[in-house]
């Protein structure tokens, strides 16, 4: 049964903006400088300092006195004393309150730690942290290989950054650590600044060429720490400048395309460990292609033992992970399959001496204990600035995306700027202890969340597991095959590689987003990760410009018996308003699309005012030349036939009316380019016998009136307008006015109105304020009312002008004729 809809009945006068503002007492929102200073002081004192109600009242009173007090004071004798009292008050109140506010803002641990429920959450945090720590240890070692660093670097990177984040992080379940994409970007810098060829030497004892691996690892650890320090400085600087919003400029399509290409690069990079073959390192554009070619060509030299270890480990990891995901609701905590595989593989390869027997690459000796602090090599910053900036942005985006996901799930807020600061401080502290750049460790964070972790106490337990490994258990991982770590990396890339199907689904939903994904993927995969970031972000910005630049407006007609106007191509029950054209546009009006907007309006209305004005001017020039030629012939003959007099009379009226059309503006003849509706009002049947018939183009110009008298632009979808857009609107208004067509603007947003006013759109009568309306229907009602008034006014003016022109022409004829001709007349 059809439910009765409520009736919508409105009875009000039609409004343009000036009338509406006058009737409803529009308020001015412009603040003088004094008000802005007062507001600034109030915001700084009340918001940042967190004053009490009494203090807030006192600060407001002082601000009012500073800004608005006259020169004479009752209680305070001079403005200098007033300022002195004000700043004394602020210093007293801010000394403790502001420090407290800053501490609580930049050290969130002070907020959640006093409220922590030990009995309810501590056990879950410990269990989730320990289980996640067993994932963090092998994953950190594996990702250190991607960074072309020794495995112990992964342990350093999984321990030291967690200390600052425990105090400064706002995502409660977040665990910072190594991330594959960042590791491979760090590896590119290490390979470029410390290539293997720099550490090859000739051993005279063995009479063969060898490589000083320990020295190379030490140099690369220094490079990694230096890069982490520079990245941290960039992140801290962006955090203090409140640049956390920069993440919104990285679309999801770009991030997914970038991550997929990086995941594919990582998979290709670890194939050399899985197959146990030697592949020279490459960096720069097409490096992944060169690596893939070398891997394929080196497949005949595959180390079978390494491949077997990798395949068995990959199968075990994949099966257990899938079962854990399927039955995660029944398991108290995730199965730590990573550490199980590492322990079993080490237990098999170590006692049997399989690495030496089958020439497998192994992790090697892991230094026990904490590393000695190092200082960054500032002279190398110039060579790694672009990569550091890419690492800072990409790492922050990954961290923030995961943080917002966790916050939405558990019902708390994440501060973007504070996350930038926390990540920067984590990298900064770790840079002195030979880490490589870190962000959110996705698999470890998800393990904490799935196991019921509620706070940073879980990351503290992860840190303790890593610390135990660094201090004692690392010695037992000496014989771990690198192919096992390669298999661990490959299995963890499963979800990333599944994103290769994204273009199939994106193409159905948004072709432009699909193009962003494809461009980001191809640029990242073929040109390397830093170039991929630059190209992907640049193309994303171009897509935004493209979307706003080439929006298509539509003509609008009235829905029958309503005040609603819609596209007639979409709705059938519509009717056009006689003499009125309505066009809407749903995009900002700025320099990139201003001319496109004008062309869209011309296309939708079917009338190009510029071309029509030019045609009329050419017609006028042609008539003037013909008249001048006839006058020249008359001067030669000094005779005029009666038929010639009739012809001249008709032409003179026609010429004067044509000039009057171009001199008239809204019924007045004193403005330079006023509106006109017709070029020539002479009927073809009134031509004199000796007058030649006009050309077809002249007949068209003379006989056709304007197809509409009012053009309404619906600007509801225009959210901002710049000077170029304002210039186009004023130019259109002038052109249509010359043709006698009124240009009305409807649904102008308040901010757009302010921009029009500031840009001079209403100066010198360019666009009348009365031509702006609250809605399309208001503009239509005004157009219908004023159209009849203009027709009556034009007819009266034309009749008056015709009478005056006849009298003037007769007097001119008498003045120029000879006495005999006058007597005959």
């Amino acid at each position: 049964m059809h439910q009765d809809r409520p009736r919508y009945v409105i009875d009000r006068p039609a409004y343009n903006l000036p009338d509406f503002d006058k009737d409803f007492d529009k308020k001015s929102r412009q603040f003088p400088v004094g008000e802005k200073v007062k507001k600034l002081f109030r915001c700084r004192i009340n918001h940042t300092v967190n004053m009490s109600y009494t203090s807030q009242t006192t600060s407001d009173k002082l601000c009012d006195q500073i800004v608005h007090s006259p020169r004479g004071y009752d209680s305070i004798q001079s403005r200098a004393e007033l300022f002195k009292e004000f700043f004394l008050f602020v210093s007293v109140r801010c000394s403790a309150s502001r420090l407290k506010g800053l501490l609580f803002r930049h050290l969130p641990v002070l907020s959640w730690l006093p409220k922590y429920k030990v009995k309810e959450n501590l056990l879950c945090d410990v269990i989730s942290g320990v289980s996640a720590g067993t994932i963090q240890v092998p994953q950190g070692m594996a990702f250190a290989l991607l960074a072309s660093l020794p495995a112990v670097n992964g342990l350093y990177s999984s321990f030291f950054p967690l200390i600052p984040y425990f105090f400064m992080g706002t995502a409660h379940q977040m665990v910072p650590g190594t991330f594959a994409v960042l590791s491979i970007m760090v590896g590119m810098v290490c390979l470029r600044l410390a290539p293997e060829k720099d550490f090859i030497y000739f051993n005279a004892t063995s009479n063969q060429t060898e490589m000083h691996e320990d020295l190379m690892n030490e140099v690369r650890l220094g490079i990694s720490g230096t890069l982490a320090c520079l990245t941290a400085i960039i992140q801290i600087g962006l955090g203090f400048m409140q640049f956390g919003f920069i993440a919104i400029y990285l679309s999801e399509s770009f991030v997914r395309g970038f991550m997929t290409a990086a995941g594919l690069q990582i998979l290709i990079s670890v194939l050399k460990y899985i197959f146990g073959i030697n592949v020279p390192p490459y960096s720069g554009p097409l490096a992944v292609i060169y690596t893939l070619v070398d891997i394929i060509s080196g497949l005949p030299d595959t180390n079978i033992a390494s491949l077997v270890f990798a395949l068995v480990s990959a199968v075990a990891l994949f099966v257990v992970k899938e079962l854990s995901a399927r039955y995660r609701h029944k398991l108290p905590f995730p199965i730590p399959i990573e550490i199980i595989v590492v322990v079993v593989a080490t237990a098999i390869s170590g006692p049997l001496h399989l690495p030496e027997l089958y020439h497998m690459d192994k992790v090697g000796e892991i230094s026990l204990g904490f590393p000695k602090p190092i200082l960054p090599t500032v002279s190398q910053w110039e060579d790694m600035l672009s990569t550091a900036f890419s690492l800072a942005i990409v790492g922050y985006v990954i961290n923030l995306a995961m943080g917002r996901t966790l916050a939405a799930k558990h019902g708390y807020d994440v501060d973007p700027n504070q996350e930038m600061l926390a990540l920067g401080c984590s990298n900064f502290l770790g840079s002195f202890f030979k880490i490589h750049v870190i962000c959110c460790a996705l698999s470890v964070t998800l393990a904490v969340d799935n196991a019921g972790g509620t706070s940073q106490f879980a990351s503290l337990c992860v840190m303790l597991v890593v610390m135990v490994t660094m201090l004692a258990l690392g010695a037992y991982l000496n014989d771990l095959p690198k192919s096992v770590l390669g298999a661990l990396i490959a299995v963890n890339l499963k979800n990333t590689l599944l994103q290769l199907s994204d273009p199939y689904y994106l193409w159905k939903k948004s072709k432009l987003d699909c193009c962003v994904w494809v461009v980001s993927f191809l640029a990242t995969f073929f040109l390397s990760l830093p170039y991929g970031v630059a190209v992907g972000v640049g193309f994303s910005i171009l897509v935004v410009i493209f979307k706003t630049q080439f929006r298509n407006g539509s003509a609008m007609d009235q829905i029958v018996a309503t005040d609603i106007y819609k596209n007639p191509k979409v709705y059938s029950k519509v009717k056009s308003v006689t003499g009125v054209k309505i066009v809407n546009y749903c995009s900002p009006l700025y320099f990139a699309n201003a001319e496109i907007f004008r062309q869209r309006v011309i296309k939708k209305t079917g009338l190009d005012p510029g071309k029509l004005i030019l045609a009329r001017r050419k017609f006028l020039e042609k008539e003037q030349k013909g008249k001048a030629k006839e006058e020249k012939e008359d001067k030669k003959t000094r005779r005029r036939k009666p038929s010639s007099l009739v012809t001249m009379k008709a032409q003179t009226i026609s010429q004067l009316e044509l000039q009057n059309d171009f001199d008239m503006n809204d019924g007045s003849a004193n403005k330079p380019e006023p509106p006109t509706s017709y070029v020539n009002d002479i009927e073809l049947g009134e031509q004199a016998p000796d007058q030649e018939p006009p050309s077809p183009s002249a007949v068209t110009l003379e006989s056709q009136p304007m197809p509409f008298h009012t053009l309404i632009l619906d600007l509801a979808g225009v959210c901002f307008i710049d000077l170029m857009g304002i210039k186009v609107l004023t130019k259109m208004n002038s052109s249509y006015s010359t043709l006698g067509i009124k240009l009305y603007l409807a649904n102008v947003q308040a901010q757009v109105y302010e921009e029009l006013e500031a840009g001079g759109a209403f100066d010198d009568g360019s666009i009348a304020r009365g031509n702006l309306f609250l809605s399309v229907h208001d503009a239509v009602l005004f157009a219908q009312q004023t159209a009849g008034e203009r027709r009556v006014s034009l007819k009266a003016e034309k009749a008056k002008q015709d009478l005056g022109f006849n009298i003037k022409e007769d007097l001119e004829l008498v003045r120029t004729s000879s006495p005999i001709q006058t007597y005959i007349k």
Side-chain angles (χ1 to χ4, degrees), residues 473-491:
L473 300 181
Y476 299 99
L477 301 176
N478 183 26
D479 293 322
L480 176 64
K482 287 185 178 180
S483 60
V484 175
L485 296 179
L488 190 151
I489 295 172
V491 173

Side-chain angles (χ1 to χ4, degrees), residues 488-790:
L488 190 151
I489 295 172
V491 173
N492 283 330
L493 291 173
K494 185 199 71 170
N495 293 331
T496 302
L497 296 179
L498 287 177
Q499 295 176 174
L500 285 169
S501 60
D502 282 358
Y504 174 76
Y505 300 101
L506 286 175
W507 185 259
K508 297 179 180 179
K509 298 179 180 180
S510 174
K511 293 179 174 56
L512 287 177
D513 283 340
C514 181
C515 291
V516 171
W517 192 99
V518 172
V519 170
S520 302
F521 174 84
L522 295 178
T524 303
F525 184 75
F526 289 105
L527 300 181
S528 76
L529 299 181
Y531 289 110
V533 173
V535 173
V537 172
F539 188 77
S540 299
I541 295 174
L542 288 178
V543 166
V544 174
I545 296 175
F546 180 83
K547 285 182 177 180
T548 59
Q549 185 176 10
F550 296 100
R551 303 298 288 181
N552 189 20
S554 63
M556 300 172 67
D557 286 339
Q558 185 179 15
I559 301 293
V560 176
T562 68
D563 63 343
I564 301 171
Y565 296 82
K566 294 292 182 180
N567 189 348
K569 296 180 180 179
V570 180
Y571 295 90
S572 56
K573 294 184 179 181
V574 296
K575 66 175 182 178
S576 59
V577 182
T578 304
V580 178
K581 290 287 186 179
I582 308 170
V583 179
N584 76 336
Y585 197 67
C586 54
S587 173
L589 193 55
Y590 64 116
F591 66 93
N593 67 350
E595 185 61 25
I596 297 174
F597 163 75
R598 190 181 71 85
Q599 294 295 333
R600 289 282 190 273
V601 173
I602 292 173
K603 181 179 179 181
K604 298 302 178 182
T605 58
L607 175 67
D608 189 341
K611 291 183 179 180
L612 186 56
I613 292 174
L614 181 61
R616 288 189 170 188
R617 287 176 179 172
K618 289 183 178 180
F619 177 73
L620 177 61
E621 291 174 358
K622 183 178 180 181
E623 289 291 316
Q624 289 175 342
K625 290 180 180 179
K627 181 178 179 298
K629 184 178 180 181
E630 290 179 2
E631 289 179 353
K632 187 177 181 179
E633 292 177 354
D634 289 343
K635 288 180 180 179
K636 291 181 179 180
T637 58
R638 295 295 182 181
R639 287 184 178 181
R640 298 188 179 182
K641 297 179 181 179
S643 60
S644 299
L645 293 174
V646 175
T647 302
M648 187 193 71
K649 182 177 181 179
Q651 290 177 347
T652 305
I653 294 174
S654 171
Q655 179 67 19
L656 289 172
E657 289 181 358
L658 183 61
Q659 292 177 354
N660 184 65
D661 285 339
F662 280 91
D663 292 339
M664 186 172 54
N665 186 9
D666 291 333
S668 63
N670 57 352
K671 294 185 179 181
E673 290 189 354
T676 177
S677 297
Y678 303 92
V679 175
N680 201 325
D681 293 325
I682 298 178
E683 299 293 338
L684 295 179
E686 296 179 0
Q687 294 179 13
D690 294 341
Q691 185 179 3
E692 295 182 2
S695 64
S697 61
V699 173
T700 302
L701 288 172
E702 292 173 6
S703 59
Q704 284 191 354
M706 292 298 99
F708 54 91
H709 55 74
T710 304
L711 171 62
I712 301 174
L713 298 180
D714 181 9
L715 303 183
V718 178
C719 58
F720 78 86
I721 185 171
D722 68 351
L723 291 178
M724 185 62 71
I726 295 173
K727 183 177 180 181
V728 166
L729 281 182
T730 55
K731 184 178 179 181
M732 290 173 62
N733 180 71
S734 176
S735 300
Y736 284 112
S737 297
T738 304
L739 299 176
I741 299 174
K742 288 288 186 180
L743 178 65
Y744 291 163
L745 307 180
N747 290 319
V748 180
Q749 305 296 331
Q751 186 174 355
V752 176
Y753 180 84
E754 294 174 359
E755 291 168 347
L756 287 171
E757 188 173 31
F762 307 129
D763 297 343
D764 302 327
S766 299
I767 298 178
R769 295 177 188 268
N771 289 358
L772 276 67
F773 296 89
L774 295 178
S775 68
V776 174
H777 195 60
D778 288 294
V780 170
L781 295 179
F782 265 86
Q784 290 175 332
Q785 179 183 9
T786 56
E789 297 175 356
R790 279 191 290 164

Side-chain angles (χ1 to χ4, degrees), residues 20 54 65 80 85 101 114 139 224 267 272 283 310-311 360 364 372 394 465 537 548 558 601 665 669 723 773 780:
F20 183 81
T54 304
Q65 288 181 343
E85 180 178 336
Q139 181 175 284
S224 173
L267 179 62
K272 62 181 180 180
S283 61
L311 291 177
M360 292 190 300
K372 294 181 179 179
V394 174
V465 173
V537 172
T548 59
Q558 185 179 15
V601 173
N665 186 9
L723 291 178
F773 296 89
V780 170

